[in-house]
Amino acid sequence: MELMTGRYRWGIDPEYKFKMTNFSKFWRSPALIGNPASVGYFSILTYLLMDQNEKFKKKKYFALIPLIFSFVRSPYLIFIVYEFFKFFTKKKNLKKLVLLLKVGMPVGVLTFISLAKNNILSTASLYDRVHLWTTQINVDYNFLFGGAIGNVGGGVRGIGGFIETIDSSWFFFLFSSGFIGIVLIILFILQKIKNNNKSFFILIAFFLAGFLVHLTQSIVFLGIFPLLFIKIKKEKVIHNLEK
């Protein structure tokens, strides 16, 4: 932050918006993006993009380094869910499940105990979200059609308060475009990922993460997420190279 802005400030810099926070005993790195959450999503989205191409089979893991140091749990969730589905939907990997459980269960228990001691598995933030969703949100909207566009999310930024972020993409979509809007969003994405298992796993992962964070308020998400569903025909690439 001092390198980029000329000063150090805990929390959010009032002018440059660089954000310095901590998770348990760890400092969350804002990197050059300026926000630890955006760093985490930049990392996981880059990894998912690289995972679509065999060319990056080994190099893709370097993209996860910023994710590790972001210490933001929702991108971690996306990675775990995606890799879980990708691994266990392959028949040959099902045979490895028994061995994985034998080795993984003791390791998992020890890891759980260690994380719990360091307060890393704290559910306080989740409790705070649920409490705010049930007590602080007072939005006039229609369940089917929404209608609160401009009254929630970035549209009210600057007035302060929880209503600016909501911390849930699905609540935001419900308030702004209603249940019908949510259905249309899901149908649009499903159409884009037709006959592509990896894209379907990505959708499930982000669907779950969307309950705990407002994805569309991140410029990183808006800029990179659509690239995951762009289909490039090999014949077209070869033709362009020959030209």
Side-chain angles (χ1 to χ4, degrees):
M1 177 184 281
E2 196 163 347
L3 174 66
M4 297 299 294
T5 67
R7 59 175 176 244
Y8 170 81
R9 181 187 178 94
W10 185 258
I12 302 176
D13 185 276
E15 183 177 358
Y16 299 103
K17 308 304 178 184
F18 267 66
K19 186 176 182 180
M20 291 294 297
T21 58
N22 69 293
F23 175 67
S24 185
K25 298 177 182 179
F26 306 101
W27 281 21
R28 287 169 162 160
S29 171
L32 299 181
I33 296 174
N35 186 305
S38 294
V39 172
Y41 279 98
F42 175 80
S43 179
I44 188 62
L45 285 167
T46 303
Y47 170 79
L48 294 173
L49 272 174
M50 296 176 75
D51 193 50
Q52 309 302 306
N53 194 322
E54 284 294 319
K55 179 182 177 181
F56 303 106
K57 186 175 182 179
K58 296 180 179 179
K59 296 178 181 178
K60 64 184 179 182
Y61 295 106
F62 288 105
L64 294 174
I65 295 174
L67 174 66
I68 296 170
F69 293 103
S70 70
F71 294 106
V72 180
R73 284 175 286 188
S74 54
Y76 291 168
L77 173 65
I78 291 170
F79 174 75
I80 292 170
V81 171
Y82 174 74
E83 290 297 327
F84 176 86
F85 280 106
K86 196 174 73 170
F87 184 84
F88 287 109
T89 49
K90 294 180 180 179
K91 292 182 179 179
K92 64 178 182 180
N93 289 333
L94 291 176
K95 297 178 181 179
K96 302 177 183 178
L97 180 59
V98 175
L99 177 62
L100 183 65
L101 289 174
K102 287 181 180 179
V103 177
M105 285 183 70
V107 174
V109 171
L110 293 174
T111 302
F112 179 85
I113 294 172
S114 176
L115 294 175
K117 283 183 178 180
N118 289 286
N119 205 33
I120 292 176
L121 297 178
S122 172
T123 58
S125 62
L126 178 60
Y127 172 81
D128 289 340
R129 280 181 170 86
V130 174
H131 176 72
L132 290 168
W133 289 332
T134 55
T135 60
Q136 299 296 317
I137 296 179
N138 183 21
V139 180
D140 184 20
Y141 76 103
N142 180 282
F143 177 78
L144 287 177
F145 304 104
I149 294 176
N151 295 323
V152 289
V156 292
R157 182 162 297 180
I159 67 171
F162 180 67
I163 200 67
E164 288 186 4
T165 57
I166 303 178
D167 271 342
S168 172
S169 288
W170 299 112
F171 272 125
F172 173 77
F173 295 142
L174 179 64
F175 297 147
S176 58
S177 58
F179 180 74
I180 292 177
I182 291 176
V183 172
L184 291 174
I185 290 169
I186 294 175
L187 289 177
F188 175 78
I189 297 178
L190 284 175
Q191 193 276 331
K192 291 293 182 183
I193 65 172
K194 193 182 297 183
N195 301 323
N196 189 325
N197 286 340
K198 284 187 177 181
S199 294
F200 183 64
F201 303 151
I202 291 171
L203 176 62
I204 295 174
F206 276 94
F207 177 84
L208 295 174
F211 282 103
L212 304 174
V213 66
H214 191 165
L215 296 167
T216 56
Q217 289 207 159
S218 167
I219 294 176
V220 168
F221 177 85
L222 293 173
I224 301 179
F225 184 73
L227 300 180
L228 295 171
F229 307 104
I230 293 177
K231 296 178 181 178
I232 302 175
K233 293 183 179 180
K234 291 182 180 179
E235 304 83 40
K236 187 174 180 180
V237 173
I238 294 172
H239 176 70
N240 289 336
L241 288 174
E242 289 177 349
K243 288 175 66 178

